[in-house]
């Protein structure tokens, strides 16, 4: 019997890259244009980091963090006024602290633990729904959705990324320090790029795009052009 006839390529665009490159912004625009769903996988790692801190588990305690990841009681609620999806951990809404730099650092520390990553794998794959999914993270194209027909690796210089994060936080009224943000971004880059499991690297066949000197619209245009080659029926025109 020939099974290949049953293999259907999923409608998935993966968007991987370092912090502040513009992945979340690009993913929202793509999902909006296509009417697709979004997976912000970083939120799962952020919630796991926050959960470890909440339960006084050391962020490098492999056994306990992995156990926490396997039983993570997490939910997502749509905030009707902001239209943002907010993570809820064990009944506590984490909207106020999930995007903080501390949560990002905690996330990248627990994200080093292979068994914790393994525990979150299926949860991430379950986000796939028709008509399609835009998946934002570090290993979307390499590990979580290796069969995705379109893979994007979005990057930018650390300085540009820190500037963007600074402006983003200031706009939200959050106090921020440029030097500290740059140091934090560099530390997270280093940890994400050098970990032995699912390091931050471009997937084979990924479209690598440096957004340092590009506007958001220019990034979107280039990504749509690239995607149209693999998904002409969805994106041509
Ligand atoms: N090409 C770009 N030029 C200028 N600012 C950008 C660009 N892409 C994203 N931004 C801004 O940078 C900030 C971080 O972007 P975000 O999408 O959250 O990055 P990531 O998800 O990769 O961490 C946001 O305020 C966003 O509006
Ligand atoms: N697929 C993913 C997504 C995030 N992460 C980890 O989670 C951290 C926070 O991810 P994020 O996407 O929320 O961070 P930002 O790019 O928004 O700053 C990253 O620095 C990674 O260490 C990961 O390991 N794998």
């Amino acid at each position: 019997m020939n099974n290949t006839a049953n293999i259907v390529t999923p409608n998935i665009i993966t968007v991987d890259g370092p912090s502040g490159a513009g992945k979340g912004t690009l993913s929202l625009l793509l999902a909006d244009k296509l009417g697709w769903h979004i997976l912000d996988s970083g939120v799962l790692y952020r919630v796991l980091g926050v959960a470890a801190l909440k339960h006084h588990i050391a962020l490098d305690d492999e056994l306990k963090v992995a156990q926490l990841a396997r039983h993570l009681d997490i939910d997502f609620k749509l905030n009707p006024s902001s239209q943002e999806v907010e993570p809820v951990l064990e009944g506590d809404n984490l909207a106020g602290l999930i995007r903080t730099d501390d949560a990002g650092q905690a996330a990248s520390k627990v994200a080093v633990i292979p068994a914790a990553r393994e525990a979150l794998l299926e949860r991430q794959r379950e986000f796939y729904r028709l008509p399609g999914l835009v998946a934002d993270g570090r290993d979307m194209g390499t590990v979580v959705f290796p069969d995705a027909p379109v893979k994007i690796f979005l990057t930018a210089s650390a300085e540009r990324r820190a500037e963007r994060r600074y402006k983003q936080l200031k706009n939200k009224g959050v106090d921020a320090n440029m030097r500290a943000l740059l140091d934090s971004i560099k530390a997270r880059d280093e940890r994400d790029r050098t970990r032995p499991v699912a390091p931050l690297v471009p997937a084979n066949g990924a479209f690598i795009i440096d957004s340092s000197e590009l506007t958001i619209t220019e990034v979107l245009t280039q990504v749509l052009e690239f995607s149209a080659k693999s998904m002409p029926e969805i994106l041509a025109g």
Side-chain angles (χ1 to χ4, degrees):
M1 199 176 90
N2 181 357
N3 284 328
T4 52
N6 297 328
I7 297 173
V8 178
T9 306
N11 287 337
I12 299 180
I13 298 179
T14 59
V15 182
D16 290 309
S19 179
K23 302 179 303 296
T25 309
L26 172 65
S27 298
L28 271 175
L29 292 170
L30 285 172
D32 197 44
K33 172 152 183 78
L34 298 167
W36 287 9
H37 303 275
I38 284 202
L39 163 60
D40 177 357
S41 61
V43 167
L44 295 177
Y45 288 93
R46 285 172 183 263
V47 172
L48 180 60
V50 170
L53 294 172
K54 174 178 173 184
H55 293 291
H56 306 288
I57 293 172
L59 298 173
D60 62 354
D61 185 328
E62 300 206 1
L63 282 179
K64 287 192 179 154
V65 171
Q67 193 178 19
L68 193 59
R70 274 181 223 113
H71 303 284
L72 200 60
D73 174 5
I74 178 174
D75 202 0
F76 293 95
K77 290 241 152 61
L78 180 72
N79 180 329
S81 46
S82 68
Q83 282 301 303
E84 285 190 10
V85 177
E86 299 175 342
V88 178
L89 169 68
E90 298 158 5
D92 294 335
N93 190 312
L94 298 186
L97 59 91
I98 201 70
R99 308 289 347 156
T100 60
D101 195 49
D102 284 349
Q105 286 292 342
S108 79
K109 289 180 183 164
V110 293
V112 167
I113 301 173
R117 303 195 70 84
E118 179 66 32
L120 296 182
L121 202 52
E122 272 317 303
R123 269 182 207 250
Q124 294 173 82
R125 291 186 176 145
E126 282 165 6
F127 275 79
Y128 180 67
R129 296 256 189 292
L130 287 172
L133 182 72
V134 182
D136 161 350
R138 300 292 184 288
D139 60 344
M140 298 295 99
T142 49
V143 175
V144 182
F145 299 111
D147 298 329
V150 174
K151 299 179 182 182
I152 310 297
F153 190 86
L154 184 60
T155 185
S157 70
E159 287 71 21
R160 242 335 159 260
R161 292 185 281 124
E163 269 169 38
R164 290 175 186 168
R165 203 49 107 213
Y166 180 80
K167 281 191 200 150
Q168 193 180 30
L169 291 171
K170 284 280 173 189
N171 284 342
K172 282 188 189 164
V174 179
D175 202 24
N177 173 295
M178 184 65 196
R179 183 74 239 171
L181 278 175
L182 182 58
D183 288 347
S184 172
I185 275 190
K186 285 182 173 168
R188 200 132 65 85
D189 282 358
E190 173 72 9
R191 214 177 285 124
D192 290 351
R193 286 183 173 135
T194 58
R195 65 183 175 219
V197 170
L200 174 63
V201 287
N204 283 337
F207 178 50
I208 301 175
I209 173 164
D210 186 326
S211 73
S212 303
E213 306 301 330
L214 298 177
T215 64
I216 292 170
T217 309
E218 287 168 337
V219 171
L220 179 66
T221 303
Q222 290 196 22
V223 166
L224 287 174
E225 272 173 25
F226 173 80
S227 307
K229 291 179 201 147
S230 305
M231 299 177 155
E233 69 290 359
I234 295 172
L235 278 161

